[in-house]
Amino acid sequence: MSHKSSPVLAASLIAAALAIAAPASAQTAQRPANETLVVTTADTLVTRHPYAESSAQMYSIWCQVYGCLGRYDYAQRKFVGQLAERWEQRDDVTWRFHLRKDLVRHDGGPGPTVADVLHSYNQVMTDPQSQGRFYLSSVKEIRRVDDHTFDVVTKEPASSLLGQLFDKFTITSEEIFETQGGVASYNTAPIGWGPYKLTNFAISDRIALERHDAYPAKVETSPRKVLFRRIPEPDQRVTALLNGEVQIARLIPPQLVGRLENVPSVEIRRAPSNEPMFIGFSVKTKPWDDPRVRRAAAMAINKDVIIQRILFGMADRLDGPVGARQICYTTPIDQKTPYDLAGARKLLAEAGYAGGGPVVDFFTATGRYISDRQIAEAITQMLNQAGFKATLHTPEFAGLWANVRAGKAPMYYMGRGLALEPSEWLSQYFETGVTPRIGYDNPKLNELFERDRKTFDMTERCKIIREISQLIETEAPGIFLWNHQYVSGVRKGLRYVPDASGEIWLPDVRL
């Protein structure tokens, strides 16, 4: 149901629009230094549309601006509500959610209702720009129970539903969308219920937020204003921290950590991550349609050498796609892929490349992930030593990411953020027909994903996920390498505990 805009709403929308349009320098000039947190980001900032980007960073920001149903709290090691107060599972395919009634919209408007949830679901599923259909792919329908209660009905049992929805499914206002120009409202009226308001979004440059003081449990010592400043070059991030231009410099590569050691004004914070770094293949393109060639590539890569010599030991080796910080990790899989150059050459010969290895194009962005170019250069050399004829390409991340999503990147180095729930994201990449990123089709793997979704006993689920992990490792539609240890440089006196997501939940930061 839509409502007419009140004068107060209209005035606040105009103010929001002016703030978004204002030059970044004007925004910065108004901020007292002692109440503003400046954080670096290496991610691209490509759109103000909350459903048109699929990245851990933007999911996190939109959850803090508009609001999500809930999120995973790494400190408590459990899912906690945000817009949802509580939830329960009513049967194998029905989950009931209860919205909070103590929330105030940034413009003083009413709290979220089921109408807003239904509107947001429709936007994710029907907007041509949407990149989020995958996390709602298990949902058959959302049914209204009353204004603040709704049921999510899945197509089949979905044991990982919370992992699919939380931290991703952004709830936006139906009223603002209908009264303020539809999709255009994302530019001019980005108003939600989250703990922070969006005040500036300069494409490819910065995002500015301001604390929403009507948010419940607001903490006075959390930052009043926050600026995410895009600095893709790691040495520039370190320099900005040392110069006092930023308070948190994230994704410090291992070779630059020494610049921050023994600096009195700076503290180094480290955290293991659940972002698996991997090589993905478009398995419908030659030579990657042959599992022998994929396994040869996996055997050619010496993970331990890269971890020790390029990452200075600041990464945790992966054998299979599930790492120690993810749900259902117990112990390493039974059959690991060894580093074996002779074995790789033998597989290539069996695949018909005895006289000369296959010509392959390998893609990576630069500055998007820790030491990504240096790592990709080392991997390229290792592939060539095994008999491949590999050429490295380093496009801008936005272009590479678009090709990956469309299944047009034949071989690429990438990380997958928000990989806490293994089955959710592994299905996204490796289950038939979910997305074209890999294009893999394996009936046995599909059957395991199906069993996993129908299994609610965690012990049994974890056994199935272990089978999934082993099969992916053996067939190698992707090669899993390591989880980085996230290293941040933080100005002394700032209370910030990084977690395995790599993102920042701003209400937990203390200035």
Side-chain angles (χ1 to χ4, degrees), residues 209-230:
L209 308 176
E210 183 173 341
R211 194 174 67 201
H212 176 36
D213 284 341
Y215 191 78
K218 177 202 68 176
V219 178
E220 292 291 346
T221 52
S222 63
R224 181 169 295 278
K225 298 183 180 182
V226 180
L227 181 67
F228 287 89
R229 179 179 162 194
R230 184 169 185 261

Side-chain angles (χ1 to χ4, degrees), residues 159-179:
S159 58
S160 62
L161 183 69
L162 294 184
Q164 295 169 29
L165 297 182
F166 283 20
D167 292 301
K168 302 180 190 70
F169 182 28
T170 300
I171 308 301
T172 55
S173 168
E174 179 195 45
E175 175 191 357
I176 289 178
F177 185 87
E178 291 192 358
T179 61

Side-chain angles (χ1 to χ4, degrees), residues 141-438:
E141 62 176 325
I142 298 180
R143 295 175 183 164
R144 179 185 182 277
V145 177
D146 59 41
D147 282 352
H148 294 90
T149 309
F150 63 94
D151 290 341
V152 175
V153 181
T154 57
K155 299 170 185 174
E156 57 186 6
S159 58
S160 62
L161 183 69
L162 294 184
Q164 295 169 29
L165 297 182
F166 283 20
D167 292 301
K168 302 180 190 70
F169 182 28
T170 300
I171 308 301
T172 55
S173 168
E174 179 195 45
E175 175 191 357
I176 289 178
F177 185 87
E178 291 192 358
T179 61
Q180 302 301 321
V183 175
S185 66
Y186 300 142
N187 291 329
T188 59
I191 297 171
W193 299 276
Y196 279 81
K197 309 173 189 178
L198 179 66
T199 59
N200 181 270
F201 192 130
I203 299 293
S204 299
D205 184 45
R206 62 188 60 206
I207 294 175
L209 308 176
E210 183 173 341
R211 194 174 67 201
H212 176 36
D213 284 341
Y215 191 78
K218 177 202 68 176
V219 178
E220 292 291 346
T221 52
S222 63
R224 181 169 295 278
K225 298 183 180 182
V226 180
L227 181 67
F228 287 89
R229 179 179 162 194
R230 184 169 185 261
I231 306 179
E233 293 299 327
D235 56 342
Q236 293 179 12
R237 295 198 289 273
V238 170
T239 299
L241 178 68
L242 294 174
N243 290 343
E245 300 170 35
V246 305
Q247 283 72 53
I248 301 177
R250 296 186 292 169
L251 295 181
I252 304 300
Q255 69 270 20
L256 295 181
V257 171
R259 289 184 59 188
L260 302 179
E261 293 175 340
N262 303 316
V263 176
S265 60
V266 170
E267 295 178 345
I268 298 172
R269 308 276 170 85
R270 301 183 184 184
S273 78
N274 65 6
E275 179 181 38
M277 302 303 301
F278 67 98
I279 291 172
F281 302 110
S282 178
V283 300
K284 293 182 179 179
T285 61
K286 290 187 178 298
W288 307 120
D289 58 339
D290 189 329
R292 295 170 297 185
V293 178
R294 301 194 302 264
R295 288 198 296 270
M299 295 170 73
I301 298 171
N302 192 329
K303 302 177 192 178
D304 294 330
V305 165
I306 293 175
I307 290 171
Q308 293 304 318
R309 295 184 184 177
I310 298 179
L311 296 175
F312 293 73
M314 297 180 192
D316 301 309
R317 175 181 168 131
L318 279 176
D319 291 296
V322 180
R325 297 305 184 278
Q326 292 173 273
I327 291 173
C328 277
Y329 179 85
T330 50
T331 57
I333 57 175
D334 299 322
Q335 299 175 24
K336 305 174 186 177
T337 302
Y339 168 63
D340 183 354
L341 279 180
R345 294 187 185 108
K346 181 180 178 182
L347 283 172
L348 287 180
E350 291 175 4
Y353 297 102
V359 175
V360 298
D361 292 303
F362 179 32
F363 293 82
T364 185
T366 59
R368 172 61 181 83
Y369 301 104
I370 296 169
S371 304
D372 43 16
R373 185 185 186 110
Q374 297 94 321
I375 287 168
E377 288 172 346
I379 290 173
T380 301
Q381 292 176 15
M382 291 174 179
L383 291 171
N384 289 335
Q385 288 172 359
F388 288 88
K389 296 179 180 177
T391 301
L392 178 63
H393 304 270
T394 56
E396 288 292 324
F397 180 75
L400 173 58
W401 183 220
N403 284 335
V404 168
R405 288 197 305 245
K408 296 179 179 179
M411 179 186 186
Y412 52 91
Y413 174 70
M414 190 159 286
R416 206 303 187 162
L418 296 179
L420 172 74
E421 168 60 76
S423 57
E424 177 263 326
W425 82 269
L426 292 175
S427 168
Q428 181 189 26
Y429 274 82
F430 300 108
E431 187 171 8
T432 302
V434 176
T435 68
R437 298 180 186 186
I438 299 289

Side-chain angles (χ1 to χ4, degrees), residues 451-467:
R451 282 174 50 201
D452 169 63
R453 282 189 284 269
K454 295 178 179 179
T455 303
F456 291 87
D457 179 89
M458 284 305 296
T459 300
E460 292 304 312
R461 273 201 72 206
C462 292
K463 291 179 181 177
I464 297 168
I465 289 173
R466 187 179 180 89
E467 287 187 64

Side-chain angles (χ1 to χ4, degrees), residues 76-95:
Q76 300 185 60
R77 296 189 177 184
K78 68 178 185 178
F79 291 105
V80 298
Q82 188 191 0
L83 301 189
E85 180 180 57
R86 68 185 191 280
W87 54 90
E88 65 266 3
Q89 188 178 356
R90 296 180 66 82
D91 57 48
D92 282 355
V93 295
T94 307
W95 299 65

